[in-house]
Amino acid sequence: MALLDVQNINAGYGETEILHSVSIQVNEGNLVAIIGPNGSGKSTLLKVIVGLLEAKKGNIEFMADSITNSSPQKIVELGISYVPQAENVFTNMTIKENLEIPSLVLKFNFKKRLEEILELFPILDTKMNTKAGTLSGGQRQTLAFAKALISKPSLMILDEPSAGLSPIMADSTFETIESINKSGVTILIVEQNAKKILSIADRGYVLATGENKIDDTGLNLLTNPDVGMLYLGGSN
Amino acid sequence: MNIKNYDYFWVIFIIALSALIIFGQPSLIINGLLLGFIYSLGAIGLTLVFGILRFGNFAQGDLMTLGGYISLTIVTVIFAGIGFTGSALGPFTFGLPIVLAIPLTMLLTSIIVVILDQLIYKRLRTRQASTMLISIASLGVAIMIRGLVQFLWGNEPEYFPRESKQFYMLPLDIRIPPDNVILGLMAVLMTLGVYLFLKYNKYGKFMRATANNPNLSLSTGINTSIVIMWTWIISGSLAAAGGTMLAVSQAQILPMTGWKILLPIFASVILGGIGKPIGALVGAIIIGISMEASTAWLNPTYKPAVAFTIMIAMLLVKPNGLFGEKD
């Protein structure tokens, strides 16, 4: 049974419908990628899953319970952490305060988890009292991952984590995502850099114009000429 | 905070202050400081509402008026009715009843603003009304509150019970009403309380997070409804305390008292940087001192024009205010 089961979701903004009967499944322990051209509804789908946007039709199940149109608070309490594409840290707060917020929401032992999370992201340790707004793009992304992981989520949802990063930082970000997944955290990720993400993903979904087009294992999608022609600019 | 960005402002301000002291008007600075502290109570509430709810609350001044009248009623009707009148405390013109009325008024006004939010602003937010529309609605609330005040207490000035007391006489011919010292101290303590709440309290941290990024707050699991309620509680209680202190320091209250200081409060918020509580405090102190200091050269009726001029100048030179971040 899938950890996350999104079934035939229709959603959009106001009268404009962006998603048309989109379905995806995420199995426990997997890294599942959603790729597709701009405007295909990838980020919209993530917003519907985490409760930031209402689904007009369809059903979303997490651990076999329906979470369709649940509040973001409820989604977080169930163990889903979401890292938005941009503005994913509180820039007016210090690194320590950013990491503390999830512990105040979910009431877990902050000191204990902080030590554990700093072992994973030691770069943050020396800057705990630095305002997040002064960090570089890569450091912000690291903080956003740490903030999402500190609550020990069952599912981590990432929206284009490599966007705006230098190639070196983007490579480092993909390495981090892979190591987080290998540590046992299930990941659902939307990513523009399709080649990179499909090379490490267990499964991938290709969306276009708000519809499911192709889904397969990451490696199969990488070598699928249809994906190459339509979404990767004609090359594999 | 980039100091270089507003070095020139501080230099001009300090030169103006020094000129006042040299030319023998230091009392104006001291009295302006008190006015600034009282304005800061209204301005911090205004800036918190803007930071969290993203609209300019035009009812903040009239909430201060309402707070003043509620305190007046507690002192002259409820306390006097049960025989609790009390003589003036030490060097001050007012007694214990006014001191005890302030926390009660803060509580009552908080309840009123939370109800107003549920009845009006929450409905507009649910319907995804623009912030401009919500601001206009707050103007309607301001007029409604003023109408209620006029209906309940009339248009004539009302007076808190007071006794005449000597001013403190300090070197350099500085004369300070003792009331101003204690009222200023109370305002500072309240401001400090808000600062500590925002810095260390769980809901204070949630408020800062929500002010910074409402969507990220939601997706992090913060209950923004509770954050909004706390915002109104702090804003309403500070307005109530500020309104009472203003009435006590001016020895009278009128239905237009709060409306008249709405401009200096807005000017303070813009000067300090919209959505920045520390900025609102600093902005209010500068506006208060500048307005009082201007009476050394100008007719006191021009005081609001001074606040307005500072506000316009800041908007032209640094639209994000002294403590505001670049877009």
Side-chain angles (χ1 to χ4, degrees), chain A residues 43 49 68 82 93 111 131 136 150 157 163 203 208 211 230:
Chain A
S43 296
I49 295 170
T68 319
Y82 169 60
M93 302 178 106
K111 277 188 180 173
K131 284 266 175 76
S136 68
I150 199 163
I157 297 180
R203 191 156 196 88
E211 294 174 359
L230 288 167

Side-chain angles (χ1 to χ4, degrees), chain B residues 106-298:
Chain B
M106 291 169 77
L107 178 68
L108 285 171
T109 311
S110 300
I111 294 169
I112 290 168
V113 289
V114 169
I115 291 170
L116 281 172
D117 180 61
Q118 294 293 313
L119 290 178
I120 299 168
Y121 302 123
K122 187 181 177 184
R123 288 172 189 229
L124 291 169
R125 286 196 301 275
T126 308
R127 290 174 193 176
Q128 296 183 326
S130 69
T131 52
M132 175 62 81
L133 193 74
I134 301 177
S135 283
I136 298 295
S138 76
L139 189 60
V141 170
I143 294 166
M144 189 182 76
I145 291 172
R146 205 176 322 143
L148 183 73
V149 165
Q150 287 169 322
F151 176 75
L152 292 175
W153 289 282
N155 283 316
E156 296 304 311
E158 297 279 348
Y159 304 92
F160 281 89
R162 58 186 284 129
E163 295 173 20
S164 293
K165 291 290 170 77
Q166 295 286 322
F167 281 20
Y168 288 135
M169 300 298 289
L170 301 178
L172 295 173
D173 195 29
I174 298 174
R175 287 167 292 169
I176 309 171
D179 285 5
N180 288 9
V181 176
I182 191 72
L183 292 174
L185 190 64
M186 284 164 72
V188 170
L189 287 176
M190 283 181 198
T191 306
L192 184 66
V194 172
Y195 172 78
L196 294 174
F197 176 85
L198 291 172
K199 182 83 180 162
Y200 297 109
N201 181 275
K202 171 179 160 177
Y203 290 104
K205 287 175 184 174
F206 287 174
M207 281 175 69
R208 284 196 288 140
T210 306
N212 183 247
N213 191 332
N215 278 336
L216 185 61
S217 294
L218 265 177
S219 63
T220 307
I222 292 173
N223 186 336
T224 49
S225 298
I226 293 178
V227 168
I228 290 169
M229 191 184 74
W230 272 107
T231 306
W232 283 117
I233 287 173
I234 295 173
S235 173
S237 55
L238 290 182
T244 305
M245 291 179 192
L246 191 67
V248 170
S249 71
Q250 293 182 349
Q252 65 168 19
I253 185 164
L254 281 155
M256 293 295 281
T257 297
W259 179 251
K260 281 183 178 172
I261 64 162
L262 188 63
L263 179 62
I265 291 173
F266 262 96
S268 306
V269 169
I270 289 168
L271 185 61
I274 296 171
K276 304 282 174 189
I278 294 293
L281 170 68
V282 175
I285 291 170
I286 293 170
I287 292 287
I289 292 176
S290 304
M291 284 173 67
E292 280 302 303
S294 70
T295 60
W297 303 290
L298 297 171

Side-chain angles (χ1 to χ4, degrees), chain A residues 60-128:
Chain A
I60 304 171
E61 289 184 358
F62 180 67
M63 294 177 172
D65 286 327
S66 176
I67 58 164
T68 319
N69 294 334
S70 291
S71 68
Q73 291 84 43
K74 176 85 188 295
I75 305 279
V76 169
E77 282 167 13
L78 288 172
I80 298 177
S81 278
Y82 169 60
V83 181
Q85 180 185 344
E87 299 180 351
N88 48 23
V89 295
F90 298 113
T91 52
N92 64 338
M93 302 178 106
T94 63
I95 288 178
K96 190 176 181 184
E97 286 173 328
N98 266 277
L99 295 173
E100 187 188 13
I101 291 287
S103 75
L104 297 172
V105 171
L106 296 169
K107 300 180 181 74
F108 58 81
N109 187 326
F110 174 59
K111 277 188 180 173
K112 186 169 173 285
R113 276 301 289 156
L114 183 64
E115 283 174 17
E116 291 166 1
I117 216 77
L118 290 178
E119 279 176 24
L120 282 175
F121 303 103
I123 190 173
L124 299 176
D125 199 6
T126 54
K127 302 185 172 199
M128 290 302 279

